[in-house]
Amino acid sequence: MTGRLHIGSDGASWDPDEGYRTCSVCGGDCEPEPTGADGLGVRIMWVCPDHGVHSVVDPFENYREADRRERGEE
């Protein structure tokens, strides 16, 4: 996965390479589906209507990593 969705205090943005949302089987545009799990936070799944889940993006990964470093949990 080379593209990433970024959500920050100034809004949402993404890398110019949107490969995370393109199905590797058919090349079609995948649909975003928000999901989450206890202790893991929010994830965005990119789902191809024909081939299922293509990728999962954690838009808050950088914040979670910074928080772990501050608590000394590297």
Side-chain angles (χ1 to χ4, degrees):
M1 173 173 54
T2 57
R4 289 185 175 231
L5 175 66
H6 301 282
I7 299 176
S9 59
D10 58 338
S13 64
W14 56 88
D15 291 343
D17 177 4
E18 295 183 353
Y20 63 91
R21 63 179 290 159
T22 303
C23 178
S24 60
V25 177
C26 68
D29 194 29
C30 297
E31 296 291 322
E33 290 186 17
T35 187
D38 290 341
L40 295 176
V42 175
R43 302 291 193 271
I44 307 296
M45 293 190 313
W46 292 91
V47 181
C48 174
D50 297 322
H51 300 104
V53 176
H54 168 66
S55 62
V56 179
V57 177
D58 178 357
F60 302 105
E61 178 180 18
N62 293 340
Y63 296 108
R64 221 177 326 280
E65 288 176 8
D67 187 51
R68 277 193 289 265
R69 281 193 300 273
E70 286 179 14
R71 292 188 312 233
E73 297 177 7
E74 293 185 57

